[in-house]
Amino acid sequence: MASNSALLSRSGQYRLLISQGHRLTPSFCPACANASRATHPRVRTKRDASSRRYLTSSANPRAELEDTLLQLQKQSPNLINLSRLQLALQGLRRDPGTEIIRVAILGLSNGSKSGPTARRILRSLLADPLQDEQPWEKELERRDETKPLIVRVGPPQQHVVSLEIEKETGLDEMHISSPQLDGYNLEFLLMEVNVPYGAPGEMSIKSLEDSLLVPTVNIPSAADRISPISTPVHQALLVADGLMGAVNISALPVSETDESITAAVQLEGIRKQLETSFNTVDVSLAEEGVRLFRQGPQNAREFERLWFSSNIPALTKWLKAGSTSAEDETKPAVRKLIASTLQNTLSEVQLLEARKLSKTSILQGDDPAVTELNKGLAEWAQKAHSELQDELDHAFSGRRWRKLGWWKLFWRVDDVAMLTNEMLSQRFLPTAEQELVYLTGRIAQLGGASPEYSQPKRSADAASGSRTLESALRTPTLAATSASPLPKWPGHIAFTRRYLQDETVPALQSLAQKLVVQCLGTSGVATSLAALLYISSFSSTIYEAGAVAALGIVYSLGRVQKKWDAARTFWEGEVREEGRKSVRAAEESVAAALEIDASNGVVEGVDELEKTKELVVKAADALGRMK
């Protein structure tokens, strides 16, 4: 019978329920797909070709599940464990029942002998009592337990050597033939692991799964350097030693997992199983039983007694339960891996939805905190307008502005840009801008994230509705541009200041230089004309020639005074008007952010979360229909 899976609701939580089957299969590959393909290249046969055609069929739930998981990876990579997802995809790309099951034997790093105990347990699981001690057993016994080891279990190879240590992938690999487990396509990862502890009940199941089902292996990458690599597995056996190890294991929610994680504690001398959430084992009994049986078949009864007293058979049963399935059915460990990945993804989506809903309710207009923010916004706008008037009055009656009088223009024409830029930097709403940042920070603190504020438009729209200095003086107009990134608060004040500095100040500087050149040119022409008149005519006196020169100089100076005073008056009004508009636009931007209704998307990303939920449900449905 095909196993079924369904997405059910229980106490507000979604659970993926998986049934199991049975199947014996041969071995294949290690901890990473690239290494496995390089080490064990798969021979393409007619059966493989037919399988690929079968997988590409849209009516195949296995192919549908694979495609849905790929879409889920592309849609929400931050909500799904990518390492476990890749392991699930590798299993789905094989024929049903031939998946490789990776099991981690993890010694708990708590200062005890958990590392050697984990190594002894692995040896007991794989040892064949019907044969003499194998070379791999001696090699495993001599190994440093702090170095990770991959053990591939499968039928004997064509060559005589049954032990092979490879370091091409950065990890030691051992090939072992175990008659009891050869047909289960098992791979073991033997290493030590650190698990974060806490009081009982403090550690979540997800945190435990992330620590044990996706252990991190340190791979030497260069001289005195290591690179941490995630090595996802289907199942994990956490091994501890002694009373302290039992206490540490008891604080972990091992029994609350979907049987993908189990624990074993080495307690010598205990012949009766205790009522605990973990398995108590005595590896020394299993080792003694194997040793006696190898001495002769007359010790078979004693071997059986010691073997079952050690409780190692309980671990063997757990291994086989995840690796056996009916013919042409997916192995239970693969189904549990996919179900757990989908469940965790759905939990992340629900957590984000809860946060967004909470933030939306906080930002409703009837909330007292929002009312207080609206009051603070009104006070800010009033203070900003007062600051704009007071600071600009002080600036345009100050010493810097007086330095730019028309009659001082001849020796200060190059200081126009410097003096006006200083005035804008120091007097154009500096305090209002700082208080606006503080106000938006309070809004972000209230809502949990900074909302999107409307920003000033670029190009000609930034100056629409008002004349520019250049148009008033009939000079070319340049569009205001800004290449800086948008801030997380209304940037109208900074944008307006930058516009005035980049567009109007250069125009004012250019006009000043132009007026000085024109004045000097007109005065020079008038003086030359007076000199020519005096020289060419005997009847003209020096007074008449001087009158002509004086007329030209007075005309040019009067023209400078008239145009420069008009330009200064217009620029002063321009600064005041643009400042008033920037304050008003910033006020409207903050008010709009406070008035956004939940249905209009106070928090973005709701559609993306809904799409992710749909993909999870679709994947769960395909998992339920898959054999």
Side-chain angles (χ1 to χ4, degrees):
M1 296 297 292
S3 55
N4 297 322
S5 147
L7 189 64
L8 303 178
S9 175
R10 179 180 300 174
S11 302
Q13 298 291 330
Y14 288 86
R15 295 185 180 273
L16 293 167
L17 305 180
I18 308 299
S19 62
Q20 303 178 1
H22 301 277
R23 170 113 185 233
L24 300 180
T25 48
S27 176
F28 184 55
C29 65
C32 72
N34 293 333
S36 66
R37 286 195 291 270
T39 308
H40 292 284
R42 185 178 179 181
V43 179
R44 300 184 180 274
T45 62
K46 293 182 178 180
R47 184 171 183 267
D48 294 331
S50 62
S51 298
R52 288 194 299 272
R53 288 195 299 271
Y54 176 71
L55 287 175
T56 56
S57 173
S58 59
N60 181 14
R62 195 179 188 89
E64 180 183 348
L65 177 58
E66 180 183 351
D67 181 66
T68 305
L69 291 179
L70 290 173
Q71 295 181 34
L72 192 60
Q73 178 184 6
K74 182 179 180 181
Q75 170 68 25
S76 304
N78 296 328
L79 299 179
I80 192 169
N81 191 310
L82 297 180
S83 297
R84 302 190 72 192
L85 178 64
Q86 291 301 320
L87 181 61
L89 290 173
Q90 290 180 24
L92 292 175
R93 288 162 184 162
R94 296 180 60 89
D95 293 335
T98 66
E99 301 91 352
I100 298 170
I101 303 303
R102 301 176 185 170
V103 182
I105 309 294
L106 306 173
L108 190 61
S109 299
N110 61 347
S112 63
K113 300 179 181 179
S114 300
T117 301
R119 185 183 61 209
R120 294 170 62 192
I121 287 178
L122 179 60
R123 178 184 177 184
S124 299
L125 289 172
L126 300 178
D128 183 8
L130 298 177
Q131 299 182 6
D132 293 334
E133 187 177 12
Q134 300 296 306
W136 66 263
E137 298 183 54
K138 299 178 181 179
E139 177 65 25
L140 187 63
E141 185 68 24
R142 292 193 299 264
R143 279 194 58 83
D144 183 2
E145 61 272 5
T146 61
K147 296 181 179 180
L149 172 68
I150 292 178
V151 178
R152 300 177 182 175
V153 181
Q157 305 294 326
Q158 297 295 332
H159 48 78
V160 180
V161 181
S162 61
L163 172 63
E164 183 179 354
I165 303 298
E166 299 177 356
K167 297 186 178 180
E168 296 179 358
T169 60
L171 285 176
D172 291 349
E173 300 176 2
M174 183 178 292
H175 301 262
I176 295 175
S177 176
S178 174
Q180 187 179 10
L181 299 176
D182 274 350
Y184 289 86
N185 262 13
L186 287 174
E187 292 179 356
F188 293 92
L189 173 63
L190 178 65
M191 59 177 293
E192 291 187 342
V193 66
N194 290 315
V195 180
Y197 293 107
E202 286 187 359
M203 189 175 189
S204 64
I205 298 178
K206 183 178 181 302
S207 300
L208 182 65
E209 291 179 346
D210 292 340
S211 300
L212 301 184
L213 295 180
V214 193
T216 301
V217 177
N218 294 324
I219 304 296
S221 58
D224 300 329
R225 293 185 180 181
I226 57 174
S227 299
I229 297 179
S230 298
T231 54
V233 296
H234 295 88
Q235 296 176 265
L237 171 61
L238 185 61
V239 178
D241 188 87
L243 182 59
M244 183 57 66
V247 173
N248 293 332
I249 293 291
S250 300
L252 303 176
V254 176
S255 60
E256 300 177 19
T257 61
D258 58 355
E259 298 182 357
S260 297
I261 301 175
T262 190
V265 179
Q266 165 73 2
L267 294 174
E268 294 187 6
I270 297 180
R271 299 293 184 266
K272 184 178 180 181
Q273 291 299 313
L274 305 177
E275 294 183 0
T276 59
S277 60
F278 51 84
N279 297 292
T280 57
V281 297
D282 189 347
V283 189
S284 60
L285 296 180
E287 294 173 340
E288 178 65 17
V290 172
R291 187 186 65 81
L292 291 176
F293 193 84
R294 284 174 173 172
Q295 292 177 358
Q298 67 275 10
N299 298 321
R301 186 180 297 273
E302 184 66 14
F303 162 74
E304 183 178 2
R305 185 186 67 81
L306 294 174
W307 181 255
F308 284 97
S309 297
S310 68
N311 202 31
I312 295 297
L315 303 182
T316 305
K317 181 181 179 181
W318 171 76
L319 284 175
K320 293 181 178 180
S323 304
T324 57
S325 63
E327 186 175 359
D328 294 332
E329 288 189 4
T330 305
K331 291 186 177 181
V334 177
R335 303 183 70 93
K336 290 179 180 179
L337 170 65
I338 299 174
S340 175
T341 303
L342 295 177
Q343 172 65 46
N344 292 337
T345 304
L346 190 59
S347 299
E348 291 293 330
V349 172
Q350 292 174 341
L351 180 61
L352 286 179
E353 286 181 336
R355 290 177 179 175
K356 291 178 182 297
L357 180 61
S358 175
K359 183 163 61 175
T360 299
S361 62
I362 289 177
L363 291 179
Q364 295 302 310
D366 55 353
D367 190 273
V370 177
T371 304
E372 182 67 23
L373 288 175
N374 283 320
K375 182 180 179 181
L377 176 60
E379 294 177 354
W380 172 84
Q382 181 180 0
K383 292 180 180 179
H385 284 291
S386 299
E387 179 190 4
L388 178 67
Q389 181 178 355
D390 296 341
E391 291 294 330
L392 292 185
D393 287 345
H394 188 274
F396 290 125
S397 61
R399 182 172 56 88
R400 287 190 180 90
W401 192 240
R402 289 197 301 268
K403 287 182 179 180
L404 298 181
W406 72 269
W407 55 277
K408 297 181 180 180
L409 201 60
F410 296 97
W411 60 88
R412 293 194 181 276
V413 64
D414 293 332
D415 298 338
V416 173
M418 180 191 67
L419 295 174
T420 51
N421 277 322
E422 287 182 356
M423 291 169 55
L424 291 174
S425 300
Q426 299 178 12
R427 300 294 182 179
F428 191 82
L429 298 171
T431 305
E433 186 176 15
Q434 295 175 4
E435 292 181 350
L436 179 62
V437 175
Y438 172 74
L439 180 62
T440 54
R442 290 175 57 192
I443 297 175
Q445 182 182 14
L446 176 66
S450 180
E452 293 291 337
Y453 295 100
S454 60
Q455 301 293 340
K457 295 182 179 180
R458 301 171 63 178
S459 188
D461 293 338
S464 61
S466 64
R467 297 184 305 156
T468 62
L469 176 63
E470 295 87 347
S471 63
L473 301 176
R474 298 180 181 178
T475 56
T477 302
L478 297 177
T481 58
S482 174
S484 59
L486 296 179
K488 295 181 179 180
W489 55 83
H492 299 81
I493 296 178
F495 179 88
T496 302
R497 184 188 298 112
R498 189 165 56 249
Y499 162 73
L500 292 173
Q501 291 176 336
D502 295 345
E503 303 299 333
T504 63
V505 169
L508 193 65
Q509 171 77 53
S510 176
L511 176 63
Q513 294 173 342
K514 180 180 178 180
L515 291 178
V516 170
V517 171
Q518 288 179 349
C519 179
L520 295 178
T522 303
S523 301
V525 170
T527 303
S528 300
L529 181 61
L532 184 62
L533 180 63
Y534 176 76
I535 295 173
S536 62
S537 177
F538 295 102
S539 61
S540 298
T541 63
I542 191 173
Y543 299 103
E544 293 174 343
V548 173
L551 179 62
I553 294 174
V554 170
Y555 170 77
S556 61
L557 291 177
R559 187 169 177 270
V560 170
Q561 179 184 10
K562 180 180 179 180
K563 288 200 170 187
W564 183 245
D565 286 346
R568 290 213 316 168
T569 302
F570 176 82
W571 190 76
E572 180 179 345
E574 180 82 355
V575 172
R576 293 180 185 274
E577 179 63 17
E578 292 297 330
R580 185 193 64 80
K581 290 196 299 183
S582 66
V583 172
R584 179 58 181 166
E587 180 185 7
E588 292 177 352
S589 179
V590 176
L594 288 173
E595 293 175 0
I596 291 180
D597 187 75
S599 60
N600 294 330
V602 159
V603 269
E604 66 282 355
V606 175
D607 294 339
E608 288 75 6
L609 293 180
E610 287 295 330
K611 187 174 181 180
T612 302
K613 287 176 61 177
E614 292 176 1
L615 290 175
V616 171
V617 175
K618 182 180 178 181
D621 178 68
L623 180 62
R625 292 184 283 109
M626 184 180 67
K627 290 185 178 181

